């Protein structure tokens, strides 16, 4: 399944800056960064449970937030991108 | 129709900081801020054209980016929120 993951992590404190780095690093394990705090991820149900659990173990729920949008089929046709573009086709073969 | 609008605006320069403020202000005219740079918007096709036009007239497409996700029906049932929660039900009556 495809999900869109967005987060806000408060960086008022050093601890917050550390949480932000850790959250971003975890998201990179599960998907493609398309904007600073926006990731498109292709995960199966078990991976989603794992992914969510890792994020929730890090964020401070009083100051930070994570939103997960479950994207439907053909979601790629329903996304517009304008401006600087860092993303790639999540299904394209990875050439090493 | 419901859309999710996410943006990244480079704030390396004073001009960038100004662009960021203007983009956020325009987004607030069309929807609900759910995270710093994430807005859920309920717009008709004409409003979307207007909204998009305003944003694209502001951003610097070399350094900034705007993504628009067209959310399907029943999208509200496909969104998870964890942590600090600033949003409200976009369809709930506005009590002044």
């Amino acid at each position: 399944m495809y999900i869109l993951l967005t987060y806000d992590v408060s960086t008022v404190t050093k601890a917050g800056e550390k949480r932000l780095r850790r959250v971003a690093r975890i998201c990179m394990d599960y998907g493609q960064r398309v904007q600073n705090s926006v990731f498109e991820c292709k995960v199966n149900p078990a991976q989603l449970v794992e992914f969510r659990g890792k994020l929730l173990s890090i964020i401070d729920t009083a100051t930070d937030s994570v939103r997960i949008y479950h994207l439907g089929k053909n979601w790629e046709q329903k996304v517009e991108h304008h401006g600087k573009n860092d993303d790639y086709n999540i299904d394209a073969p990875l050439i090493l």
Side-chain angles (χ1 to χ4, degrees), chain A:
Chain A
M1 73 181 90
Y2 291 93
I3 61 167
L4 184 74
L5 186 111
T6 68
Y7 59 76
D8 262 3
V9 174
S10 166
T11 53
V12 171
T13 64
K14 283 270 176 228
E17 287 170 7
K18 193 177 167 194
R19 289 197 308 274
L20 179 63
R21 285 192 301 271
R22 290 183 64 199
V23 164
R25 217 172 301 134
I26 286 174
C27 290
M28 280 185 247
D29 289 345
Y30 290 88
Q32 154 68 16
R33 175 176 248 165
V34 291
Q35 286 176 338
N36 267 341
S37 57
V38 178
F39 285 74
E40 291 173 1
C41 311
K42 185 180 178 183
V43 290
N44 64 41
Q47 288 168 325
L48 177 55
V49 170
E50 186 186 72
F51 184 19
R52 187 192 293 118
K54 286 180 184 174
L55 293 176
L56 296 189
S57 72
I58 292 171
I59 67 167
D60 176 344
T61 52
T63 58
D64 310 335
S65 82
V66 164
R67 292 180 78 83
I68 297 175
Y69 293 84
H70 294 254
L71 300 172
K73 286 190 225 72
N74 310 319
W75 63 279
E76 294 95 333
Q77 282 92 44
K78 299 177 201 159
V79 186
E80 295 176 38
H81 182 91
H82 305 280
K84 187 169 165 258
N85 194 344
D86 305 324
D87 71 339
Y88 70 101
N89 177 342
I90 204 165
D91 288 311
L94 196 64
I95 299 151
L96 299 177

